[in-house]
Amino acid sequence: MERKYIRIGETMIKSEAWNTLPSSTTKLLLCMMYVANGKQHFQFPCHLAVQCGFSRSSFWRYRDELIAYGFIEVVANNKLQRRNNVYGFCSKWKEFSDKN
């Protein structure tokens, strides 16, 4: 048995948003879930994305897709303070439509 793991609900897996999400973006979401460790709000600096196998530019693109699909949101944009952004999981993916 693993010491740390993540769980994904059936509703999410069967959703239109999940099924149209590109696979690399799905991988980033899973990495974020792992790092969040069950918390609603979390930080995911770019260097963690690089450790997970993403390039810096890919991280920003996939992060923006996760926001557009409604899986995460930026809770605190700390770019001007030169600190890590704070992200939060959200359930806007339930209203996602591929027709957008």
Side-chain angles (χ1 to χ4, degrees), residues 1-98:
M1 181 65 115
E2 296 288 331
R3 288 181 0 142
K4 187 175 174 183
Y5 58 92
I6 58 173
R7 297 176 78 179
I8 302 172
E10 180 180 9
T11 306
M12 182 181 285
I13 291 176
K14 291 183 176 181
S15 72
E16 186 174 357
W18 180 270
N19 289 312
T20 56
L21 197 64
S23 60
S24 294
T25 308
T26 304
K27 180 183 173 189
L28 178 61
L29 178 61
L30 295 175
C31 290
M32 287 179 162
M33 288 176 168
Y34 180 79
V35 168
N37 200 25
K39 296 180 180 133
Q40 179 68 28
H41 297 126
F42 61 97
Q43 294 181 352
F44 196 87
C46 196
H47 73 85
L48 282 180
V50 171
Q51 288 177 359
C52 292
F54 299 99
S55 68
R56 293 175 64 85
S57 61
S58 294
F59 164 67
W60 294 113
R61 185 173 65 248
Y62 300 150
R63 182 205 74 143
D64 290 344
E65 287 178 353
L66 288 173
I67 293 168
Y69 279 69
F71 287 99
I72 65 168
E73 59 190 354
V74 178
V75 175
N77 186 340
N78 294 325
K79 181 178 181 179
L80 297 177
Q81 289 89 13
R82 299 182 54 87
R83 295 175 34 215
N84 296 327
N85 289 338
V86 177
Y87 301 100
F89 295 110
C90 61
S91 57
K92 294 176 186 171
W93 54 267
K94 293 178 181 178
E95 291 93 35
F96 177 83
S97 173
D98 194 27

